Amino acid sequence: FSLKVQNVINHHIEESFVYQDNGRTYRIILTPISHQNETLIFIYDITKEIQLNQMKEDFFSNASHELKSPLTTILGYLQMIEEGILTEKSDIEDAFFRITKEAKRMNSIISEMLNLASLEVNQNEKTITDLSIFETTQDILSSFKRDIKQKELKIEIENKDDFKVKMHAMDLYHLISNLVSNAIKYNQQKGKVKITIQKPFFVISDTGIGIPYSEQSRIFERFYRVDKAKSKELGGTGLGLAIVKHVVNNYDLTIELQSKEKEGTTFKVG
């Protein structure tokens, strides 16, 4: 650093460089003062900017990979049909089934990406209203009736003390919907989902596959999935919990996780 300052003084040229210290990143600009052996030093903390750029880079890289996989499958089956490689009716029907499944997966990924983008919009631009946790939960559960029936799940709602929150309607919907979706999706057949509403907390527990302790610190990362094969099979996008975390952060809420493999998972938001 001292050598750079001396170089600026000796040659009267401006110099800029990036410096890292204790996990933070700084941009330092050295500017000589005319006809004086003095230098102005500007120090900018660009740690958040660097982290944000890295997050964006990782997001687009992951998004490209996640969308490329189903698209490759779709194009592959379409090519086999077009070139006459698949001729049996059962094979063609199976191909269309897989094409439809992958197309729906792509649609889910794009939809979730748009949800994340909307959450990054300035909160001041959103319409905030008083929303009932219990009523919102009931509406969301009704939309999952088919999935609940297929898995023969027992749903229990313990409405100890319903309360209202000041939130944008879609933000609350995404928060609860993604937690409910996971509790259903990763549950065991004939399992149980228990939702407890007691001001100021919303708690949802399931009897599903659980999350290994070693993975729990990463589950809110975008596109991160504990079991990629299982998640793909169930139509998971890897964005649901990232959306939940974003909503929690936007409204200064907290989220707690308790989970054990093969026993179930509990999320507590408040």
Side-chain angles (χ1 to χ4, degrees), residues 159-259:
N159 185 20
K160 291 183 177 180
D161 182 19
D162 184 28
F163 60 100
K164 292 187 176 182
V165 291
K166 292 184 181 295
M167 292 180 69
H168 182 256
M170 286 309 298
D171 288 352
L172 181 61
Y173 180 87
H174 291 318
L175 172 63
I176 297 178
S177 178
N178 279 297
L179 292 175
V180 169
S181 176
N182 281 357
I184 295 170
K185 194 179 297 179
Y186 299 106
N187 215 321
Q188 60 181 314
Q189 195 71 22
K190 294 185 178 180
K192 179 180 177 181
V193 176
K194 181 179 180 181
I195 296 171
T196 304
I197 299 170
Q198 185 172 18
K199 189 176 182 178
F201 297 108
F202 170 86
V203 184
I204 180 165
S205 302
D206 64 61
T207 55
I209 60 176
I211 304 166
Y213 181 77
S214 60
E215 308 280 351
Q216 291 181 16
S217 62
R218 300 194 61 191
I219 61 169
F220 295 106
E221 294 178 18
R222 297 176 181 188
F223 294 110
Y224 186 79
R225 286 171 289 203
V226 175
D227 186 336
K228 290 187 177 181
K230 184 76 172 177
S231 185
K232 183 179 178 181
E233 176 191 337
L234 297 172
T237 63
L239 290 171
L241 288 178
I243 289 173
V244 168
K245 187 66 174 178
H246 217 114
V247 174
V248 165
N249 289 341
N250 280 357
Y251 291 91
D252 295 322
L253 301 173
T254 60
I255 184 164
E256 298 175 13
L257 163 68
Q258 288 185 331
S259 187

Side-chain angles (χ1 to χ4, degrees), residues 19-26:
Y19 176 74
Q20 292 182 324
D21 183 53
N22 291 327
R24 303 201 69 80
T25 304
Y26 304 92

Side-chain angles (χ1 to χ4, degrees), residues 64-87:
S64 298
H65 172 75
E66 293 293 334
L67 290 171
K68 186 177 180 181
S69 179
L71 183 59
T72 300
T73 301
I74 291 170
L75 293 174
Y77 278 112
L78 287 174
Q79 185 177 0
M80 285 192 286
I81 293 171
E82 185 180 13
E83 294 180 359
I85 297 173
L86 299 179
T87 56

Side-chain angles (χ1 to χ4, degrees), residues 64-190:
S64 298
H65 172 75
E66 293 293 334
L67 290 171
K68 186 177 180 181
S69 179
L71 183 59
T72 300
T73 301
I74 291 170
L75 293 174
Y77 278 112
L78 287 174
Q79 185 177 0
M80 285 192 286
I81 293 171
E82 185 180 13
E83 294 180 359
I85 297 173
L86 299 179
T87 56
E88 296 292 329
K89 183 180 177 181
S90 60
D91 290 338
I92 293 174
E93 287 177 348
D94 180 65
F96 277 120
F97 170 77
R98 295 180 184 278
I99 287 170
T100 302
K101 183 179 178 181
E102 293 301 320
K104 286 180 178 178
R105 183 169 161 235
M106 283 186 71
N107 185 62
S108 294
I109 292 171
I110 292 170
S111 177
E112 298 286 64
M113 287 171 64
L114 290 173
N115 289 340
L116 269 175
S118 72
L119 287 169
E120 291 170 352
V121 172
N122 190 336
Q123 290 296 101
N124 295 329
E125 297 177 5
K126 295 185 176 183
T127 302
I128 306 299
T129 55
D130 288 326
L131 302 165
S132 164
I133 295 293
F134 180 65
E135 290 177 6
T136 303
T137 301
Q138 282 190 312
D139 289 343
I140 289 169
L141 284 172
S142 66
S143 69
F144 283 103
K145 275 185 178 178
R146 181 182 174 187
D147 302 288
I148 292 169
K149 187 176 180 180
Q150 279 186 336
K151 277 211 163 181
E152 303 174 274
L153 298 176
K154 179 183 178 182
I155 307 296
E156 179 184 341
I157 301 182
E158 191 174 7
N159 185 20
K160 291 183 177 180
D161 182 19
D162 184 28
F163 60 100
K164 292 187 176 182
V165 291
K166 292 184 181 295
M167 292 180 69
H168 182 256
M170 286 309 298
D171 288 352
L172 181 61
Y173 180 87
H174 291 318
L175 172 63
I176 297 178
S177 178
N178 279 297
L179 292 175
V180 169
S181 176
N182 281 357
I184 295 170
K185 194 179 297 179
Y186 299 106
N187 215 321
Q188 60 181 314
Q189 195 71 22
K190 294 185 178 180

